[in-house]
Amino acid sequence: MNPVFSGLGETVFDVMSGLARETGAINLGQGFPEWDGPEDLRARAAQAVMEGPNQYPPMRGLPELRSAIADHYNTTQSLDLDWRRNITVTSGATEALAAALLAVLSPGDEVILFEPAYDSYLPMLRRAGAEARFVRLRPPSWKVDTQRLLDAFSSKTRVVIINTPLNPSASVMDEEDLSLIARLCIENDCICISDEVWEECVFGPAVHRSMMGMPGMRDRTIKIGSAGKMFSMTGWKVGFACAGPELTEAFARAHQFLTFTTPPMLQTAVAFGLQTAADRLSAMRGRLQGLRDTLTRRLSEEGFHVLPAAGTYFLSVDLARSGVRASCAEFAFRAVKEAGVATIPFSAFYASPPEDALVRLCFAKSEQTLEEGVRRLAIARNLMGTSG
Ligand code: PMP
Ligand code: GLN
């Protein structure tokens, strides 16, 4: 077996959801809403299954979807994208990330990764033959340390991967950090792979800005999005990659041999969703923000130390400051098995143990689920708390 994969465990998201299913635990781990997505989008997909198209769509995606993606980003992020030259539809952002890394990396290249880092980046860049250079971000601001970033660049640096809003910290990268990274990408002739799957899950006053819109970055950024996140249907696995014409050509060469295409009936429904996005996206944000506030309040009332969450489906709890004496991994595994509540330990987003013991909780759940989750988290704390 290839050592990159034979040396890996199963992803923490699947492990935690599997344990939650087996034990009947409340699942605040893997990031998916407890509700199904918009009914009219599901009706569109069902109609497309019955009426077609059900045969191979174009390799780069249905024109109606590619043009809806370009229009959406041109309107909401002032990006000036042309659907023919700048857009590829993929089978989820996961595939887009793999295609981007395979398209641009060669053995011996270096990639700068900010930790915490989403768990697919490191194995896939290694599989492409590259090495990672890590730059840690620290709570509560999760801001980039200029010197650490400068130190991470070398003559071999080819790619910088960013993720904003950031999973799992729920922080949104500000203009200062984006400008710094953009400047260093330009000076070092690097490409930025910008994972923006959470771009629509941002709560005021935070504002999402795309790396692609930063001066000088349009043709050196691969911007990655996910319809699953935009429309609260994480199982749909329809992703988008936006890039300059040259990068889009290289990207499409990799995509054509990973999945080649994405189910056309889902593409049809996502195109409809994007054409009617404004109201549904603001309703989704309002609902998520309300649930974030509920979970934050209830956890705080129970004496948990909650970090601010400006975006995503997640908030995080500082275990040491909440009276828990356990590493985040120990807490997460014991909490799901002994207290019936699944969480995600931040250690899953680091190549070596993090300084802080944090767990990530998904708040895209009903109020009742959140309430019961908090009750069980308090039980878990009692098991591992200062007196336990
Ligand atoms: N990147 C990040 C930061 C994510 O959080 C996720 C999934 N939540 C993905 C990529 C994968 O998205 P998709 O389900 O569209 O493949
Ligand atoms: N991205 C989702 C999360 O962070 C999980 C996706 C997956 O399970 N691969 O929870």
Side-chain angles (χ1 to χ4, degrees), residues 11 13-14 29-31 118 167 198 229 314 349 360:
T11 103
F13 306 112
D14 212 43
Q30 192 177 30
Y118 186 62
N167 177 9
W198 297 102
K229 302 294 178 322
F314 311 117
F349 298 79
R360 191 194 82 177

Side-chain angles (χ1 to χ4, degrees), residues 288-309 314-317 361 363 370 374:
L288 287 173
Q289 187 165 352
L291 293 166
R292 174 202 65 174
D293 293 344
T294 301
L295 185 58
T296 303
R297 178 176 47 75
R298 287 293 299 114
L299 286 167
S300 306
E301 284 166 5
E302 294 297 328
F304 286 97
H305 185 94
V306 180
L307 273 65
F314 311 117
L315 57 73
S316 39
V317 166
L361 307 179
F363 52 71
L370 294 179
V374 172

Side-chain angles (χ1 to χ4, degrees), residues 44 64-65 67-68 71-72 231 268 270-278 280:
R44 276 292 167 126
E64 68 188 274
L65 176 54
S67 87
D71 289 349
H72 176 71
F231 299 122
T268 304
V270 169
F272 168 70
L274 285 169
Q275 286 151 4
T276 52
R280 65 176 88 244

Side-chain angles (χ1 to χ4, degrees), residues 10-11 125 193 220 277 350 374:
E10 197 175 314
T11 103
L125 74 87
I193 297 178
R220 53 171 78 246
Y350 290 80
V374 172

